[in-house]
Amino acid sequence: MAIKKMGAQTVKLLNPPSIVSTGTIVGPKEGEGPLKEYFDVIIEDDLFGEDSWEKSESKLQKEAIKNALDKISFPLNKIDYIFGGDLLNQIIASGFSARDLQIPFFGLYGACSTMSESLSLGAMIVDGGYADKVICVTSSHFSTAERQFRFPLELGNQRPLTAQWTVTGSGASIVSSEGNGPYITHITTGKIIDPGIKDANNMGAAMAPAAADTIISHFKDTGFTLDDYDYIVTGDLATIGKEILLDLAKEEGLDLTEKHRDCGLEIFNNEKQDTHAGGSGCGCSASVFNGYFYNLLENGKINRILLVSTGALHSPTSAQQGESIPGIAHAVSVCTSLGKEG
Amino acid sequence: MAIKKMGAQTVKLLNPPSIVSTGTIVGPKEGEGPLKEYFDVIIEDDLFGEDSWEKSESKLQKEAIKNALDKISFPLNKIDYIFGGDLLNQIIASGFSARDLQIPFFGLYGACSTMSESLSLGAMIVDGGYADKVICVTSSHFSTAERQFRFPLELGNQRPLTAQWTVTGSGASIVSSEGNGPYITHITTGKIIDPGIKDANNMGAAMAPAAADTIISHFKDTGFTLDDYDYIVTGDLATIGKEILLDLAKEEGLDLTEKHRDCGLEIFNNEKQDTHAGGSGCGCSASVFNGYFYNLLENGKINRILLVSTGALHSPTSAQQGESIPGIAHAVSVCTSLGKEG
């Protein structure tokens, strides 16, 4: 069998699957942000016609999947697997979405890293010949996350400036064995890195060291250089986390200043929209990757990005028990042309 | 590429990976049950020297992994991936375990189906050549689950006879590209089936239709018959769920009476141990498969089993919002000799 493992954390896909379609849907606030033209649907009310925010989030996932399928007129029942996850306890947004879709379902939890976790597993399963087409999907919802991880919204708590704003939205990718790209060529899977942060309102700082570790491993494992990439796209480090990532990478000889972009900093205009450090949540990199960056790739405006969704693997219970917030980051290399493949 | 997909939900592994070692650890009550001689470690106190049950559960996972590695003197740092999950919000038992192990980590959530979910993904990743050795691990803990899903233990609530007893324990499998079995040969991935049950004290009934659906799909997809199997082993259907499964399978022409065993019915002596309908939890099929059934396979007492861990994809929030309890079941076919492979 041909060697697929490169270095300690990376595999090279020998039959790189294509992301043949994506679907996105976001909430009203996200729909007022700088990327509004890149989303398929902007809902007007974050309850989305449901009687709870959790049910609304589940519906967001189903709609993102529907949007992705409709664009290529592909029937849902021909999808082999769904790789899905979200931030809710017992990933109920994904579970109840998959219940209604009736496709074999792998439930994932990687906190806000789940979009690139789902693309990592989905791409390997397609590349390996176990499936022709899979759906990779995640979601988050400001109102479900805020009350689960922090405080009831009704309290009207003041948010510190390090806090991030959980994105209401969902993004879905259809990963296919046949297609003309954008291709997933390499996967670098993250280890858990815990910098000892205990402040649930400073997630960027908790996740940045994991992002740095995965990005540095990716370059070490593959032999790629920064010149091979248009952008290194992290999930939701936001302002504080971005600064830490740039510092940590520079210490390892990698100057990301020109190439780094963060989905959490793209989706909102922090100053005008009062979103403090920036966006976060499973739905952040899901909607920004499947909306904005996929559009840039598909239209040939860029050739290759490294998507590095970033997650914080804590819970209110672990915080109450004095634990710090461990971070994780999974990277997938996505490019438009296989000629430049490493 | 050779065809790996068989029917709608099953893949056949062309380079069947071996489960080269397993590790198990259980709590005091499980250590008094009928399978006590099959577990590597029985802890005396369910806090396991930690200051919370959640931290104890995380330690159980690390110990199960250590036991599995020690048996084959294999170094942890040569493991390519951990596929881990548990029942806790944000899978903190697995996250904090993986934090200390420093191996690339895929977090999974399939409720009590997570053991066979992890074996499914782990086996495909090894079979496909993306890894040489991976660890598949899950855990549960009576005291963490009870207070998260039902009531504080201090309330001393009376449990109805349909209730199951969450197993305190963990089981880990080392899945390897090289080895002499037991081999994972086929994987049938479950769809979510929701029979409309709303009683969180009747999980067996909520999960049995999913188990039936996956088992029937497995036989339809592979062409196997019941004669090919020594046992069909479900995760934690317990007494109520077992009865429903047997009925549903019989309606489809599959008489499981002689071949069916359920990990939740093996681990406790329900009458003597006051465990009502039987055991449950991610740690139930994890410890019973990796302890008892692995032993039977390894010692040539049986040749082939279908492990069908069963999960209920609900949460206290979904229950409070009036949702029913959707079930899911993932099946892996494990055999000692590749000659009989389908």
Side-chain angles (χ1 to χ4, degrees), chain A residues 1 4-5 15 52 54 80 87 89-90 99 102 105 107 109 117 127-128 130 148 190 192 194 321, chain B residues 1 4-5 15 52 54 80 87 89-90 99 102 105 107 109 117 127-128 130 148 190 192 194 321:
Chain A
M1 186 174 297
K4 297 173 184 174
K5 198 84 194 286
N15 313 292
S52 76
E54 287 75 14
D80 295 307
L87 296 177
N89 298 343
Q90 290 73 53
R99 175 187 68 177
Q102 290 294 298
F105 172 67
Y109 187 79
E117 183 185 1
D127 176 77
Y130 306 99
Q148 178 182 281
I192 296 177
D194 188 343
Q321 294 183 3
Chain B
M1 187 174 298
K4 298 172 182 174
K5 197 86 193 288
N15 314 292
S52 76
E54 287 75 13
D80 295 307
L87 296 177
N89 298 344
Q90 290 74 52
R99 176 188 66 178
Q102 290 293 298
F105 173 67
Y109 188 79
E117 182 186 3
D127 177 77
Y130 306 99
Q148 179 182 281
I192 296 177
D194 189 343
Q321 295 183 2

Side-chain angles (χ1 to χ4, degrees), chain B residues 311-330:
Chain B
L313 295 174
H314 67 140
S315 81
T317 303
S318 67
Q320 285 156 9
Q321 295 183 2
E323 278 286 9
S324 51
I325 303 175
I328 192 164
H330 299 300

